[in-house]
Amino acid sequence: MKIPRSLPHGTALLHNPRLNKGTAFSEAERDALDLVGLLPEGVDTEENRLKRVVYQLGRKSTDIGRYIFLSSLYDNDTTLFYKLVMSDPAYFLPLVYTPTVGEACRNYGHILRRPRGLYLGINRRGQIRRILDNWDEQDVRFIVVTDGERILGLGDLGANGMGIPVGKLNLYTVCAGVPPHLTLPIVLDVGTNNAALLSDPLYLGLRQSRVRGAEYDAFLEEFVRAVEDAFPRCCIQFEDFANPTAIPLLARYRNQVCCFNDDIQGTAGVAVAGLLAASRITGRPMTEQRFLLLGAGSAGTGIASLLVKVLIEEGLSPEAAYERCWLYDINGLLTTERNDLMPFQRPFAHPHDRVADFAAAVEAVAPTAIIGVSATPKAFDQRVIEAMARLNERPIIFPYSNPTSHAECTAEEAYRWSDGRAIVASGSPFPPVRLGDRTLFPSQGNNVYVFPAIGLATYATEARLVTDEMFVTAARAVAAEVSETDIATGLIYPPISSIFEMSIKVAEAVARQIFATGLAQIPEPPDIAAFIAEKIWRPHYHNLI
Ligand code: NAD
């Protein structure tokens, strides 16, 4: 950890979460840094401080209470926060991110203790570059930014959306060791159309309806250019923008600045990783499969676009690759006859007659895999699953929509209606399912398998751009990390408990590609694994004197 040259002393040091070690300051540090008397006489080890917060957390009875406790811990002692969360990612990820972060965002104005990150209001137009200087870190490398319009499945939460960049950036560090002090969460506050928030006296955002159109675009442009100027080595991750904004935004900036959208590209990477691993179970190569997606929005078209890239890499012509990807949205199958399609949906439209419903689409397309990204509960009904089970020995069923209440089916339904033959991955986790004398283990297609590793590789190599090919590489690397034992039990993602080690391997593969394609802005090191290892941040107290 880089220690600032002019160390704060006394209470200023105890109030600096990045440097604070609280009761773990040694006698010598206490003497040298004017801490004597400000702390109890007992000197703690790192492990003892960890034990104490584990005990305190154990006294909280709700997840939102645990979320608030963890946020306060971050504000008090960032190192200890990460040490705790990284000690058991499988337990802590749902507390610092989904699903708990959803409840936190809904109530952000109510539960807020200490603001974190930057709030850029559209009323500050013309001043964004100057406001970025208010952030104390000069070399920001990673920004997660939202305008709060489509927070998870919860819709427009305005400035309350800050919980998402904050939580997501925690995961970059927890899952891949991206140095936390180089990350910056940002909310672009352009107003909200959420009437409940506008009338909530504790809401902290601008009290106006959303600005759209040219004024919004100009604000985004000012933001991107200001970041480029203030933090030239920074990658911007767009997060939880509504679909009509997200896709054009990514299209506008993806070839100009280092940026990506996790809802589109990260989701695609995770879905493709799952499909690659599933083909190890079915024994059927990707090129011999057909994919039918329910939902043709950010996630659906993102997944389909990346699938096309993979199929082309594996030898299909572009025409044949598109022919294997079918999409079905609120108005039915995407066909060439439809005149309501957006430009980004058009490549996936095929000549076909209208079909009555999704089950009829399954019969017509005969897919090997169906992926639900429509937020339509129960859309994968018994007819759909039974048709998939009739068409395939091992049908691949991904009810990816979040939260659990929006999932297209439960894991239990997918197994029951397919006689336990389905390969299941969901967006939100489902528990193991007992079917007769067998226990079946559904997987979770969690974006954390991909984006932290992409983040680490991008940060380490100072990549100029983030490309779709990097997500394909990440997907292949994630799939390669699924052990034969997991494959034998039907699991298609590695266990979350080993996410850190996995992310490092994935980051190495992505970094290798970044160097090979000339996108790195630093010379290629002789040993990429050692180079990545050097870049990783780990939570340990350092001697400050
Ligand atoms: P979006 O609004 O961009 O797209 C939704 C799509 O669903 C649209 O094409 C719409 O026409 C279609 N749709 C809506 N109702 C439908 C219906 N009744 N029948 C058929 N199609 C219907 O949303 P998005 O960002 O693409 O996200 C969609 C879902 O995917 C969300 O629930 C989100 O949580 C989930 N998601 C999951 C993951 C993950 O698990 N890793 C990642 C990203 C998104």
Side-chain angles (χ1 to χ4, degrees), residues 388-410:
M388 285 297 291
R390 182 163 32 77
L391 293 162
N392 299 284
E393 179 53 38
R394 299 297 307 268
I396 300 171
I397 317 265
F398 287 4
Y400 250 31
S401 287
N402 296 310
T404 311
S405 58
H406 288 61
E408 284 77 6
C409 65
T410 63

Side-chain angles (χ1 to χ4, degrees), residues 149-150 241-248 264 296-299 301 342 344-345:
E149 189 170 7
R150 202 236 54 189
F241 286 76
N243 174 11
T245 316
I247 293 174
I264 301 172
S298 305
T301 55
M342 308 278 281
F344 62 85
Q345 295 172 319

Side-chain angles (χ1 to χ4, degrees), residues 83-94 174 496-497:
K83 203 169 169 58
L84 177 65
V85 175
M86 290 163 89
S87 69
D88 188 356
Y91 174 76
F92 283 104
L93 254 50
V174 171
I496 289 283
S497 53

